Amino acid sequence: MKHAVLTGDIVNSTVLTDDQEKKLISSLKALFSGHKIAFFRGDSFQVYVKDPQQALKLCLLARTMAISFMGEEGTVSTDVRICIGIGTVQVPVRQLNTARGEAFVLSGRKFEEMSISLQRMAIAVHDPLANEGMQVIAQYTNAIFESMTSKQAEVIYELLKGEMQKAVARKLKKTKSTVHQRLSSGRWPEIEKLLERYENIVNLVA
């Protein structure tokens, strides 16, 4: 059975105040609370996800959370650079720093490759054909998120959690037309399609 490992770090964490960084890390820990997570060297982290179907949505939740984090407070652009590795894992996984398996190797190795590029999300699978499909999904996702604003990320984050547009408008104290406009300009329909394609490929390899 295949599992997923997410390896990531916070982009532009050095320009955050100590309180801002602690708040963002706390929010990420809460997001991943249903999974094993460990932070290393302050802003770097790894997450073990038993069900790989959930991995891409978790990554997009983390990224939209980070992008919307500053909101109206400033112009600093925060984000999360993250890689999904999908493969076998030696279970049970007790401590992430000693965990072994294909998913850990794929995730860590691909993440290191990302550190020398502008890419903010990648997906690695051992199967060559599936890997090609995952690269297309990752590249398309990167293109969408490259121009995403904090206001767009704020509403997309809520929909990724499963909220309906009407509830999002009420929660954010915005009109339904404003929420719809931000979802459209943030390319939410395309994000939904990418999640669907990702799940289809995972079903083939997992």
Side-chain angles (χ1 to χ4, degrees):
M1 182 177 177
K2 307 294 185 185
H3 302 262
V5 173
L6 317 182
T7 304
D9 64 8
I10 299 170
V11 176
N12 289 334
S13 63
T14 56
V15 299
L16 299 174
T17 66
D18 288 344
D19 285 345
Q20 287 171 337
E21 185 177 10
K22 287 177 183 176
K23 183 179 177 181
L24 181 52
I25 289 174
S26 177
S27 297
L28 287 170
K29 286 180 177 178
L31 172 64
F32 295 124
S33 61
H35 312 275
K36 279 194 178 296
I37 179 172
F39 270 82
F40 311 97
R41 302 184 303 279
D43 65 352
S44 299
F45 61 89
Q46 197 163 59
V47 187
Y48 166 56
V49 182
K50 288 183 179 179
D51 181 4
Q53 289 273 7
Q54 302 177 36
L56 181 58
K57 182 173 285 189
L58 284 169
C59 288
L60 301 190
L61 280 164
R63 291 195 65 185
T64 50
M65 174 191 290
I67 292 169
S68 64
F69 178 70
M70 294 302 290
E72 301 298 329
E73 295 180 25
T75 58
V76 175
S77 177
T78 50
D79 197 349
V80 169
R81 178 170 41 233
I82 195 161
C83 177
I84 305 171
I86 300 173
T88 56
V89 168
Q90 293 181 17
V91 293
V93 175
R94 294 189 174 88
Q95 298 292 331
L96 294 187
N97 61 343
T98 58
R100 298 289 181 269
E102 184 180 60
F104 284 94
V105 173
L106 289 169
S107 181
R109 185 180 295 159
K110 192 69 175 179
F111 183 75
E112 288 299 320
E113 293 176 10
M114 289 170 63
S115 64
I116 59 175
S117 71
L118 297 177
Q119 197 175 14
R120 298 235 171 131
M121 203 193 79
I123 309 171
V125 193
H126 186 67
D127 181 274
L129 188 57
N131 200 56
E132 284 296 318
M134 291 301 194
Q135 297 319 301
V136 173
I137 290 171
Q139 289 167 12
Y140 200 162
T141 302
N142 280 317
I144 291 172
F145 275 69
E146 192 174 64
S147 58
M148 187 176 291
T149 67
S150 62
K151 291 179 179 180
Q152 292 166 351
E154 183 181 44
V155 294
I156 290 171
Y157 173 78
E158 295 297 334
L159 261 73
L160 284 167
K161 289 197 303 180
E163 298 288 353
M164 303 299 290
Q165 289 191 38
K166 186 176 181 180
V168 174
R170 188 165 53 247
K171 179 178 179 178
L172 300 180
K173 298 179 180 178
K174 304 293 181 184
T175 64
K176 286 192 290 184
S177 62
T178 296
V179 168
H180 179 75
Q181 189 278 328
R182 290 179 183 176
L183 289 174
S184 179
S185 60
R187 300 166 69 178
W188 169 247
E190 293 165 78
I191 291 172
E192 282 189 299
K193 287 293 184 183
L194 289 170
L195 285 165
E196 183 182 336
R197 298 291 184 271
Y198 168 83
E199 290 172 6
N200 288 342
I201 296 174
V202 169
N203 278 334
L204 294 175
V205 299

